[in-house]
Amino acid sequence: MNHLHVKYLLAGAGLASSAAAVAIRKLDSANALLMIGQEINRPYHRAPLSKDYLRRQRRHEDLFTLPDSWFTEHRLDLRTGRRVAHLDTARAAVTLDDGMEISYDQLLLATGDSPNRLAVPGAELPNLFYLRTLDDVERLGHAIDIAKAAGTAHSKGRGSVVVIGGGLLGVELAGSLTSMGLAVQLVVGPEYPWHRFAGEAAGKFISHYLQEHGVQLHNGRRAVRLEGDGRVQRVIMDNGRSIGCDFAVAAVGSHANRDLLRGTPIAAEKAILVDVHCRTTDPHVYAAGDCAAVFDPLFGKHRIIDHWDNAIATGTIAGTNMAGGDAKYQIVSTFQTSAFDLVATVWGEPRAVERRIIRAAGGAEQSGFIEIGIAVDGRVAEVLAIGQGHDVLSLEQLVAKRVLVDGNAEQLKDPSIPLSRFV
């Protein structure tokens, strides 16, 4: 059996792993650094895949997290097309899928997450797509081209698609596919889209916004069956209605890749549990990005924060500490999403929200309003800003300082009162 020993081993070759590599090399330019990636591509940004890259408005070479020359200049051994198949924490070693064994001094688990599969009859038919990787985009792009050339005719051309799932990815896909000239129907299981992080006002707003831009919504409906003659041609909903389509895309959530922990004492729940240093219960093993649940001292609990901002933050923290530094998770988690020309920004923990108040000049019927989520203790837990031009520093500080709302609710609602007064 081939054997190799390295100081730093990065299992996974995504955004978190790239950030960790940069952090390590800032503190240690000499010791051996090895990154193992299952895909054949070097690390790239996934966030644009559902937006400008799918719409062919961004070049392939602009997706990569680091220039190709960086790996050579900083002595990072990148091995793509390989998977870490087994972890032996007692021996501080891993085995790759080709049988090679690698021992380490410090290990980073940055294995990301995988899309949840649609669990309904007919889900095995061709022409049901998922979006996670560059290869997924290429397959989806091919289906789009065929549908636009010879698919179902509609008022703006050809091509009909059903997007199943009204979360962040589903809404982004609905926007991109509509802007590419397809007729899009969005099946939203809950009462409104964005239900994981938005309240009723924002949910109703995004529903209306998508409909105004040509997306046909089915709120509060579930896909229960896919049908077709050798491929997906119809999506059957739980009310019995059948939606015809040329293809379908499922965006029904994801799950952390944590299979490597089997047979190890490393603690995990839905994701790998790490402390504020992004260290697991094994002092030589760290985890970052979508596979990790980091302990957030702001809310006093472990959180799965599956967004690119968090991948960079936790990867940087892990890499710094692996190389002997002392970095801690002490930020306000945030992410952005977009559809058509609309941008929404979220700070904080939506799961902690008990009630919400709206800060808006003209109500929540038009872009430019803010939803402020309040926890059971009366403090701000989450902020959702619809549109741009907001005082983003103050919005972040509302969460960072867990501002007490009781007695200030009416003032917080009033857009004529500067947010800076509360922070």
Side-chain angles (χ1 to χ4, degrees):
M1 179 186 292
N2 293 331
H3 183 86
L4 174 68
H5 176 80
V6 295
K7 173 78 172 179
Y8 308 106
L9 176 59
L10 311 180
L15 194 54
S17 202
S18 291
V22 171
I24 288 169
R25 280 300 182 236
K26 285 182 178 179
L27 297 177
D28 184 346
S29 61
N31 282 296
L33 173 58
L34 173 61
M35 181 187 294
I36 304 294
Q38 186 171 349
E39 294 183 54
I40 61 170
N41 301 289
R42 72 179 192 267
Y44 59 89
H45 294 274
R46 297 187 191 276
L49 297 187
S50 59
K51 300 187 283 291
D52 50 1
Y53 186 72
L54 178 63
R55 297 193 298 266
R56 296 161 187 171
Q57 296 169 342
R58 180 182 292 212
R59 301 180 305 169
H60 183 270
E61 54 266 37
D62 294 333
L63 287 177
F64 297 111
T65 61
L66 297 166
D68 197 25
S69 59
W70 192 94
F71 297 89
T72 302
E73 293 169 0
H74 293 83
R75 299 179 60 223
L76 191 159
D77 184 0
L78 172 63
R79 303 192 185 186
T80 60
R82 291 268 68 91
R83 179 177 59 86
V84 177
H86 179 70
L87 168 60
D88 186 341
T89 54
R91 297 175 56 242
V94 304
T95 306
L96 304 188
D97 54 356
D98 63 355
M100 184 175 188
E101 184 177 87
I102 304 170
S103 57
Y104 58 83
D105 291 340
Q106 305 286 345
L107 169 65
L108 173 68
L109 299 175
T111 50
D113 61 8
S114 296
N116 293 335
R117 298 288 156 171
L118 192 63
V120 301
E124 73 286 349
L125 289 171
N127 264 20
L128 173 65
F129 298 92
Y130 298 88
L131 184 60
R132 171 64 182 170
T133 68
L134 273 170
D135 287 345
D136 292 338
V137 178
E138 299 310 314
R139 286 189 286 267
L140 181 55
H142 183 61
I144 292 169
D145 291 340
I146 292 174
K148 291 182 68 176
T152 307
H154 56 86
S155 61
K156 296 183 180 179
R158 287 188 175 274
S160 174
V161 56
V162 176
V163 177
I164 303 169
L168 185 147
L169 179 59
V171 170
E172 290 180 352
L173 282 169
S176 290
L177 293 167
T178 302
S179 69
M180 295 176 75
L182 295 167
V184 178
Q185 302 202 47
L186 181 63
V187 178
V188 182
E191 184 180 353
Y192 45 74
W194 288 354
H195 70 284
R196 284 183 58 190
F197 58 88
E200 182 179 1
K204 289 181 176 179
F205 169 81
I206 189 61
S207 293
H208 182 66
Y209 181 87
L210 291 171
Q211 290 168 334
E212 278 193 328
H213 286 77
V215 180
Q216 186 172 346
L217 264 67
H218 303 277
N219 285 348
R221 298 266 69 95
R222 292 184 301 108
V224 295
R225 190 168 70 256
L226 307 183
E227 297 179 344
D229 184 12
R231 60 185 176 87
V232 174
Q233 294 174 308
R234 293 178 298 280
V235 175
I236 312 301
M237 295 188 296
D238 55 358
N239 61 354
R241 180 176 175 182
S242 174
I243 311 173
C245 60
D246 298 307
F247 65 92
V249 186
V252 289
S254 62
H255 58 275
N257 295 328
R258 54 184 181 87
D259 291 348
L260 274 178
L261 300 192
R262 290 174 182 167
T264 76
I266 295 175
E269 293 175 357
K270 290 184 178 179
I272 305 168
L273 301 180
V274 297
D275 61 17
V276 293
H277 301 281
C278 291
R279 186 185 294 114
T280 71
T281 48
D282 183 315
H284 302 290
V285 180
Y286 294 75
D290 296 347
C291 70
V294 64
F295 185 82
D296 186 346
L298 191 59
F299 295 97
K301 65 176 184 176
H302 286 90
R303 297 179 60 206
I304 302 173
I305 310 170
D306 50 354
H307 303 290
W308 68 267
D309 314 68
N310 187 67
I312 294 175
T314 55
T316 300
I317 292 167
T320 299
N321 294 327
M322 290 169 72
D326 184 23
K328 297 179 181 179
Y329 190 90
Q330 46 191 7
I331 61 175
V332 176
S333 62
T334 183
F335 68 89
Q336 274 194 342
T337 186
S338 61
F340 301 103
D341 295 325
L342 180 74
V343 175
T345 309
V346 179
W347 296 267
E349 172 56 291
R351 293 179 185 87
V353 173
E354 182 196 42
R355 58 190 172 92
R356 299 174 190 268
I357 60 175
I358 306 300
R359 179 182 171 93
E365 291 76 33
Q366 58 187 359
S367 179
F369 71 92
I370 298 166
E371 264 191 357
I372 300 172
I374 305 166
V376 67
D377 63 359
R379 299 183 182 277
V380 175
E382 182 212 23
V383 171
L384 166 59
I386 301 290
Q388 297 177 296
H390 301 289
D391 179 359
V392 295
L393 180 59
S394 293
L395 291 176
E396 180 185 63
Q397 287 300 302
L398 285 177
V399 179
K401 296 185 177 182
R402 300 298 313 278
V403 169
L404 184 63
V405 174
D406 291 351
N408 295 319
E410 293 306 313
Q411 290 83 359
L412 264 176
K413 291 179 182 179
D414 187 350
S416 68
I417 300 176
L419 284 167
S420 56
R421 179 179 298 183
F422 304 98
V423 298

